[in-house]
Amino acid sequence: MQQHIPFSTTYRPHIVKKLSNTFFDLVVVGGGITGAGIALDAASRGLKVALVEKGDFASGTSSKSTKLIHGGLRYLKQFNFVLVREVGKERAVVHKIAPHLVQPEKMLLPLLKNGHNGKLLTAAGLKMYDWLANVKSADKRKMLTPKQAVNLEPLLASKKLIGAGYYAEYITDDSRLTLENIKTAVKYGATALNYTKVTGFIEKNGKVCGVNVIDVLNEQNYSIKGHYVVNATGPWVDDLRITNQPNQLKQLHITKGVHLVVKHSKLPVQQPIYFDVNDGRMIFAIPRGDVTYIGTTDTNYVLSKDKIEVTKTDVAYLLNAVAQMFTNVKLTEEDVISCWAGLRPLIHKKGKKPSELSRKDEIFIAKNQLISIAGGKLTGYRKMAERVVNTVVKFHKKQHKSKFKECHTHQIPLVGNLFTSFTDVKLYADKIYNYLKADGFFKNDAWYLISHYGAQTEHILRYYKTQKLIDNKAKLIAAECEFCIKNEMVVTPLDFFIRRTGRMYFNIASVTQYAPVVVNVFTKYFSLTKAQQETMLNEIHQSVRDHTTFV
Ligand code: FAD
């Protein structure tokens, strides 16, 4: 492994210098899960890799998914067995490389009288799902009677039920998964930087050999050179492809997906539930800490990709879906305490509705060798990365006679994973709880730290001990923020509150409460003026409003 510059905003000038002074084997554009996976795959095979992201890492779709590492049961309905097999198997792999971050969870699929999922077909479908994904016997699906289903989930209306399926999935934090991939890539020598936007391409002899970028924080332009460039910009893939070769046809079909968050007490589901609604679509209701989140919608989208709004129609659709399924639950718009909206970068197919479009990924290679990757799922990111890097390595071999290792990311534990199994993760959580309980913390607080940072929790606890605040909760958040500034390239408090900690979605009250604490930590590290502190606080409050306002 090469010596690397610390992955910290305080080292930004050093990283910029390295990006502009090095000739890379591969330049990756886009710091979502796709770019992150590619950077790790390539760096671990021995390629010299640069990755740039125009906003914060994972600020595109990769912080706005349903946060499931799942086989995609509904793709069975589209007869997409290849996709189900690949992503189904990937679940276990991604769990193995980050068991603290990708946790097993049972999913309940209620079957309704006059519903869209029949009993026999669902039983057969789930069996095939387990078989395609090679699921261990202990985790294989069970078919439940209505009584068994209601025992598990008292919120279900027993009169409407004809049974339920109960099967294995995994739950994650998409932006942390992205970030830990990037941090692991950096450990293998990659150079990655956020707030760095690609504005154009450099060409030599008709081949792309670098990118022009602008540092979004100080508006400085510079270029990054390398043998190959991969465009992994998700919903923005076509924008860059068009910049690259203006007469190229558009290929993406963007659809919007919205999630709503309510207090768990308002929708107290006992485990994740996957249920069908009148229009034949499927919706998830997933408990997480003190909240339940509900999603998603799937509608065509042509507006701004940088400011995606949640509409009153989106909210009404999801609340109506909940009302249909849980007849005793009464939710209104006022119950929604946070929300998020993301864009699916799907491959266009004429005549297909949003939810009928395939989630399969595709690689496009332009005449000037710009390699673009679009489509796909969070779950399949590692295999997508393998395919892209195989393409790059093939070019390298042919054009530069260079040789690199085979893909081995299935064996690379992500940063934060020092665990041998999920049981080990739980034991570690107990150890952290034992350490914290004297200070008034609960098991949930320990679990929050472990499921976000894994074994890095101990670094946070070291910072915790040095905080000079009175309130222990404020001390812990300050410590978390210090850790993220020093090790996770946090540039703004919103990077911290949205993508490092998920608090904006899952604990929005804590954002307002601890905004001054976090701004104080920023002040310490970046010597902020009073006016800058004020601006930061205003940005946080504006973002809280954005996450609770529907247009
Ligand atoms: P993004 O995450 O969007 O990353 C692309 C990045 O490129 C962005 O961060 C962007 O800022 C950057 N960029 C763009 N232009 C430039 C430029 N000029 N210079 C530098 N950087 C640039 N999949 C699952 O497996 N499980 C799920 O539960 C799931 N749920 C989903 C729910 C919803 C509502 C949606 C929308 C998708 C869901 N998906 C799910 C799919 C999954 O989230 C996406 O496939 C995945 O996150 C796409 O990642 P990406 O890296 O390709 O794109």
Side-chain angles (χ1 to χ4, degrees):
M1 264 177 236
Q2 303 162 26
Q3 192 67 20
H4 65 270
I5 304 166
F7 195 54
S8 166
T9 308
T10 51
Y11 281 81
R12 199 173 166 93
H14 299 79
I15 300 172
V16 169
K17 198 167 161 198
K18 187 168 175 203
L19 283 172
S20 50
N21 288 349
T22 310
F23 190 85
F24 292 93
D25 292 315
L26 175 64
V27 179
V28 182
V29 190
I33 191 66
T34 309
I38 293 168
L40 173 56
D41 187 308
S44 60
R45 292 198 208 190
L47 281 86
K48 214 181 277 175
V49 179
L51 179 147
V52 285
E53 159 58 51
K54 77 178 170 72
D56 184 24
F57 299 117
S59 58
T61 304
S62 299
S63 52
K64 294 157 187 159
S65 77
T66 310
K67 305 175 196 301
L68 290 171
I69 294 297
H70 64 152
L73 188 56
R74 66 193 200 81
Y75 311 130
L76 265 189
K77 281 191 178 173
Q78 298 171 342
F79 303 108
N80 201 339
F81 301 118
V82 177
L83 182 64
V84 176
R85 179 189 281 274
E86 180 172 299
V87 287
K89 283 190 176 158
E90 270 306 285
R91 297 179 305 179
V93 177
V94 189
H95 170 64
K96 196 182 94 192
I97 60 176
H100 60 291
L101 201 50
V102 178
Q103 300 166 4
E105 192 71 78
K106 282 279 166 36
M107 185 74 69
L108 188 66
L109 174 71
L111 303 172
L112 307 179
K113 287 172 193 158
N114 308 319
H116 292 91
N117 298 311
K119 218 169 166 178
L120 280 179
L121 267 180
T122 303
L126 286 175
K127 195 164 188 171
M128 180 174 276
Y129 192 61
D130 282 348
W131 176 73
L132 285 171
N134 218 358
V135 170
K136 286 188 296 199
S137 24
D139 284 334
K140 285 209 180 348
R141 70 99 171 101
K142 291 189 182 75
M143 294 308 293
L144 308 179
T145 62
K147 193 167 168 219
Q148 287 170 320
V150 174
N151 277 346
L152 268 181
E153 187 49 78
L155 273 191
L156 292 173
S158 59
K159 280 192 199 137
K160 288 173 86 176
L161 282 181
I162 53 170
Y166 195 52
Y167 63 103
E169 292 286 24
Y170 293 85
I171 203 142
T172 190
D173 182 303
D174 44 8
S175 38
R176 288 220 57 92
L177 185 63
T178 303
L179 194 80
E180 298 300 10
N181 266 279
I182 293 175
K183 281 162 65 185
T184 312
V186 168
K187 222 176 112 184
Y188 275 88
T191 310
L193 196 59
N194 50 4
Y195 295 97
T196 304
K197 181 177 179 174
V198 168
T199 52
F201 295 93
I202 308 168
E203 273 197 28
K204 199 173 166 192
N205 304 328
K207 303 270 183 266
V208 166
C209 60
V211 292
N212 294 317
V213 299
I214 180 162
D215 185 326
V216 176
L217 302 182
N218 60 14
E219 300 192 346
Q220 275 189 9
N221 293 292
Y222 61 101
S223 52
I224 305 170
K225 300 200 182 72
H227 285 301
Y228 302 100
V229 177
V230 168
N231 166 15
T233 55
W236 292 265
V237 154
D238 279 343
D239 301 0
L240 276 195
R241 290 174 73 211
I242 286 163
T243 312
N244 174 48
Q245 293 192 339
N247 50 3
Q248 203 154 299
L249 281 179
K250 282 204 169 201
Q251 299 279 348
L252 280 199
H253 184 135
I254 307 282
T255 79
K256 180 175 93 164
V258 167
H259 289 84
L260 307 180
V261 182
V262 298
K263 281 189 181 154
H264 185 251
S265 56
K266 291 279 175 183
L267 181 56
V269 286
Q270 300 302 303
Q271 67 274 294
I273 303 204
Y274 189 36
F275 58 97
D276 57 329
V277 273
N278 283 350
D279 62 4
R281 292 195 56 253
M282 302 287 296
I283 304 282
F284 291 100
I286 301 177
R288 191 157 180 140
D290 292 335
V291 301
T292 301
Y293 64 99
I294 309 152
T296 167
T297 59
D298 197 359
T299 50
N300 289 326
Y301 189 79
V302 289
L303 303 173
S304 163
K305 289 192 275 272
D306 292 303
K307 188 164 176 24
I308 319 156
E309 290 175 320
V310 174
T311 65
K312 285 181 180 286
T313 313
D314 298 324
V315 176
Y317 175 87
L318 290 171
L319 294 187
N320 187 35
V322 171
Q324 274 175 36
M325 185 67 232
F326 306 101
T327 41
N328 290 329
V329 173
K330 303 275 176 276
L331 291 179
T332 66
E333 218 180 76
E334 281 71 50
D335 293 317
V336 179
I337 51 172
S338 185
C339 65
W340 68 89
L343 301 178
R344 298 178 185 84
L346 305 176
I347 311 285
H348 181 69
K349 196 144 189 215
K350 214 173 155 196
K352 294 265 185 200
K353 289 193 208 147
S355 48
E356 291 166 358
L357 285 167
S358 165
R359 268 55 177 167
K360 213 180 135 358
D361 56 284
E362 221 170 290
I363 297 173
F364 306 95
I365 302 172
K367 275 204 200 97
N368 64 3
Q369 257 176 221
L370 173 71
I371 302 164
S372 297
I373 168 113
K377 290 176 63 60
L378 184 75
T379 311
Y381 80 90
R382 206 190 56 82
K383 294 301 283 182
M384 284 165 69
E386 180 179 350
R387 283 191 278 276
V388 170
V389 181
N390 282 347
T391 307
V392 173
V393 164
K394 225 187 249 171
F395 275 132
H396 260 290
K397 198 171 168 194
K398 205 168 149 199
Q399 297 171 352
H400 307 284
K401 311 280 174 251
S402 345
K403 269 192 163 175
F404 297 102
K405 290 180 199 151
E406 295 287 306
C407 168
H408 57 285
T409 48
H410 61 291
Q411 293 167 333
I412 298 179
L414 297 187
V415 169
N417 171 17
L418 294 182
F419 308 108
T420 50
S421 64
F422 191 53
T423 311
D424 204 16
V425 175
K426 289 193 264 190
L427 290 173
Y428 184 72
D430 288 343
K431 183 180 137 188
I432 297 296
Y433 170 57
N434 283 334
Y435 179 86
L436 281 173
K437 68 181 172 194
D439 286 2
F441 290 101
F442 298 104
K443 277 195 167 168
N444 277 354
D445 299 308
W447 191 248
Y448 161 82
L449 288 171
I450 302 334
S451 57
H452 282 71
Y453 304 98
Q456 300 165 102
T457 297
E458 278 166 56
H459 297 282
I460 296 175
L461 294 183
R462 275 203 291 278
Y463 294 131
Y464 171 71
K465 281 284 162 213
T466 65
Q467 302 300 319
K468 298 204 167 43
L469 294 157
I470 296 163
D471 172 15
N472 284 341
K473 284 206 164 163
K475 260 171 80 173
L476 193 53
I477 288 183
E480 220 185 319
C481 184
E482 274 204 38
F483 172 81
C484 292
I485 290 175
K486 282 189 171 173
N487 301 279
E488 303 203 328
M489 199 66 86
V490 156
V491 173
T492 74
L494 290 178
D495 300 341
F496 175 73
F497 279 128
I498 300 176
R499 287 165 293 272
R500 301 303 180 279
T501 66
R503 284 176 183 274
M504 188 66 82
Y505 303 145
F506 303 118
N507 191 354
I508 195 165
S510 75
V511 176
T512 310
Q513 188 177 356
Y514 295 108
V517 171
V518 166
V519 170
N520 276 344
V521 178
F522 272 79
T523 305
K524 177 173 144 192
Y525 277 87
F526 302 107
S527 313
L528 302 181
T529 61
K530 275 266 172 268
Q532 286 169 320
Q533 292 174 40
E534 206 53 43
T535 307
M536 268 188 182
L537 280 172
N538 287 340
E539 279 166 7
I540 299 170
H541 296 312
Q542 181 56 47
S543 183
V544 168
R545 282 193 291 279
D546 290 345
H547 283 85
T548 44
T549 309
F550 321 116
V551 293

